[in-house]
Amino acid sequence: MVNRKMKTTFTVALTAAMALSVAACGNSNDNSKNNAASSAAPDKTNSGTATNTTKSDKKVTITFQNIYPDPTTPSYKMVHELSEQYEKEHPNVKIELDTLNTDQQKVKLKTQAASKEVPDITIVNPAAQMKPFVDAGLFAPLNDMLDKNGLKDTYQTGLLDYYSFDGNVYALPDGNNIEVVYYNKDLFAQAGIANTPTTFEEMLKDVKILKDKGITPLAIGEKDSWTGSFLFMNILLRTNGGPGFLQDVMDGKKTFEDPAFVEAVDAFQQLVQAGAFPDGATSIDANAGGNIFKSGKAAMWVIGSWETGAVDASSVAGKVGAFQFPTVNGKGDPNEFMLAPGSAFAVSANSEHLQETKDFLNFFASNLPKKQFELKNAVGLGQKVDGDLKAAGYSDLAITIAGLFNQVKGGDLSFDNTMNPATSQVHLSSIQNLFVQKMDSAAVAKEHQTAFEANK
């Protein structure tokens, strides 16, 4: 069922990617409607986006927890610029940003949730990861807010389903991405590697060549344990011969002791044992790990397409290409991707300023696509974006990534977006442990199955 949904979503993502490469038309029509509406209604923002805010002098502080800590990235600039714009247009409102890296934010939110003190706006991941928060009544339904100003129609068809429970939408995603392999063309040339790998065996060979040249083959920051899991799941997607392994486990059709899972663990350990990753990878967080690549010190980076704008804003801009994760032991289709409907903005049900927070989030989400496009960070957005990438000065890398969206045949969600939190935590720790010691793959599989059976 998950896979069918994803195919629906990414069929539309394909349309969105194509829309990025053609002349703008649809959004200009939408803007015309908004502008016309703005002329008719006095309670619009200066930007022409309706907020339905009742003018008030009441002083309001909205806490906005976010995961964009790197000031060099477009996403950081987007959050700050939109928040500052809203404050300027609403002098009685202060947006207090609580900026953390991804794992820090997850831990902090769990602590806050335990005491029912969730920030006015926070970040959650879709499906299985956000369900416990919804079940606990911590998030406010956003249906009414989505119906204002045409905001709901800006999202790719089907995408909001991942953030919906019992007919209510509880969070608004910031993206709809695929996982790709970024590579530094200069470092590949320096190592004498002419072509990108299309098989896992070729990737291992390249890892050894790069390692011998003193170049870190694969950047990663595994202190944030989701990073290793996200990479590992590419391998499982291949050894399973396609998507759906975790769904089959949940449906009782397979167990974690299935040969496909054991084979994936073995292949992952081959990368570790070949020295693919930075020394001390488990002491480096995700942002620092990414900076190893973005500073030109690593040859490859397996990560979501959301990093395209950040790569283009870094010192390796113009030197980077991207390719699909290769087949593994002759298995899998490179056009099946790890799929990443984005982290999403949720509103606390217990907010002291619930309406004001919804008004701000409506403004924020309505203006996000335009701002991201201006910041050359529109590839992989969850909302429809119109515009000509090339004419707008987007990089060859961004255009390549947009092209990869056109090839998506389907794929899987991440482990922790699919499995229950308790099993996911065992998985994340287990994969993280493989970075520091070699394990018997059958024992790793057994550990996973035991955790799954204990937490059904």
Side-chain angles (χ1 to χ4, degrees):
M1 183 173 180
V2 167
N3 293 328
R4 276 204 304 274
K5 280 184 175 179
M6 290 312 303
K7 287 180 180 177
T8 299
T9 296
F10 275 87
T11 296
V12 180
L14 160 68
T15 305
M18 292 177 70
L20 282 164
S21 64
V22 299
C25 55
N27 213 32
S28 60
N29 292 337
D30 291 343
N31 288 340
S32 297
K33 292 174 186 175
N34 286 341
N35 291 337
S38 181
S39 299
D43 62 341
K44 303 290 190 286
T45 66
N46 292 339
S47 63
T49 302
T51 64
N52 296 288
T53 303
T54 301
K55 293 294 184 184
S56 168
D57 292 331
K58 184 176 96 174
K59 299 295 183 185
V60 172
T61 297
I62 296 171
T63 305
F64 187 177
Q65 194 173 74
N66 68 89
I67 52 171
Y68 310 111
D70 187 342
T72 67
T73 62
S75 291
Y76 176 96
K77 295 172 184 172
M78 176 272 296
V79 167
H80 281 256
E81 290 180 15
L82 289 180
S83 297
E84 289 165 6
Q85 182 181 344
Y86 194 79
E87 288 178 331
K88 184 177 179 182
E89 296 173 2
H90 300 78
N92 64 311
V93 178
K94 176 177 174 54
I95 309 299
E96 188 172 274
L97 297 174
D98 180 21
T99 303
L100 305 159
N101 71 37
T102 302
D103 269 15
Q104 286 173 340
Q105 187 268 336
K106 286 181 179 178
V107 170
K108 186 171 183 177
L109 180 59
K110 285 180 182 177
T111 303
Q112 293 169 321
S115 58
K116 298 189 181 301
E117 294 179 348
V118 174
D120 296 306
I121 299 174
T122 187
I123 299 290
V124 291
N125 283 343
Q129 280 199 53
M130 65 180 291
K131 189 173 186 300
F133 297 97
V134 174
D135 289 345
L138 295 171
F139 293 157
L142 302 177
N143 305 41
D144 56 342
M145 186 269 274
L146 271 166
D147 288 337
K148 293 177 181 175
N149 312 318
L151 178 59
K152 187 174 183 179
D153 292 337
T154 69
Y155 288 90
Q156 294 168 18
T157 304
L159 180 59
L160 293 175
D161 291 348
Y162 298 105
Y163 310 87
S164 300
F165 299 87
D166 298 326
N168 291 315
V169 180
Y170 287 93
L172 307 183
D174 64 353
N176 195 15
N177 287 276
I178 54 176
E179 190 172 22
V180 300
V181 186
Y182 294 99
Y183 75 103
N184 185 313
K185 296 176 183 178
D186 284 1
L187 293 182
F188 265 50
Q190 186 179 324
I193 301 172
N195 300 304
T196 56
T198 59
T199 69
F200 191 71
E201 295 73 24
E202 290 176 355
M203 178 177 259
L204 278 174
K205 183 180 176 183
D206 290 344
V207 162
K208 291 172 182 171
I209 293 171
L210 290 160
K211 186 76 176 174
D212 288 345
K213 293 286 185 181
I215 299 168
T216 300
L218 277 161
I220 199 167
E222 178 59 9
K223 185 178 180 181
D224 295 349
S225 52
W226 64 269
T227 50
S229 169
F230 206 22
L231 195 163
F232 168 80
M233 287 297 292
N234 282 280
I235 299 174
L236 179 59
L237 179 61
R238 300 288 182 259
T239 58
N240 190 52
F245 180 85
L246 296 181
Q247 189 63 51
D248 283 346
V249 171
M250 290 189 290
D251 293 343
K253 297 175 182 175
K254 290 183 178 178
T255 74
F256 282 104
E257 295 177 272
D258 186 275
F261 190 84
V262 174
E263 184 180 0
V265 174
D266 281 331
F268 186 82
Q269 292 201 107
Q270 284 183 281
L271 277 179
V272 176
Q273 297 304 314
F277 302 108
D279 293 337
T282 56
S283 63
I284 303 168
D285 69 21
N287 289 315
N291 283 336
I292 295 173
F293 180 83
K294 289 185 282 186
S295 61
K297 296 174 183 171
M300 292 180 278
W301 188 21
V302 186
I303 199 73
S305 52
W306 62 76
E307 293 287 355
T308 303
V311 169
D312 281 336
S314 74
S315 64
V316 294
K319 302 175 182 176
V320 176
F323 60 92
Q324 299 103 314
F325 197 86
T327 59
V328 178
N329 300 330
K331 300 175 184 176
D333 183 338
N335 289 324
E336 290 172 336
F337 290 79
M338 285 305 298
L339 308 172
S343 50
F345 308 103
V347 171
S348 170
N350 300 317
S351 170
E352 293 181 13
H353 312 293
L354 184 57
Q355 188 56 54
E356 290 87 350
T357 301
K358 285 184 176 181
D359 288 341
F360 166 67
L361 186 56
N362 184 286
F363 163 88
F364 180 86
S366 296
N367 285 281
L368 186 148
K370 181 174 181 291
K371 178 60 69 177
Q372 291 283 46
F373 190 82
E374 290 172 357
L375 292 168
K376 295 187 172 52
N377 199 35
V379 174
L381 285 187
Q383 290 166 276
K384 300 165 189 170
V385 184
D386 296 296
D388 186 328
L389 288 180
K390 196 170 183 64
Y394 274 69
S395 68
D396 290 342
L397 173 66
I399 293 170
T400 297
I401 296 286
L404 290 179
F405 274 93
N406 292 344
Q407 299 179 38
V408 174
K409 290 183 177 177
D412 278 331
L413 296 182
S414 70
F415 194 106
D416 53 359
N417 282 343
T418 308
M419 277 284 166
N420 62 68
T423 304
S424 293
Q425 189 54 56
V426 170
H427 161 76
L428 294 171
S429 298
S430 180
I431 296 300
Q432 188 182 52
N433 193 39
L434 298 181
F435 282 81
V436 294
Q437 62 178 328
K438 189 174 182 180
M439 298 286 292
D440 175 59
S441 53
V444 173
K446 179 68 175 175
E447 182 183 30
H448 278 71
Q449 186 61 25
T450 300
F452 173 69
E453 291 175 357
N455 294 287
K456 282 182 179 177

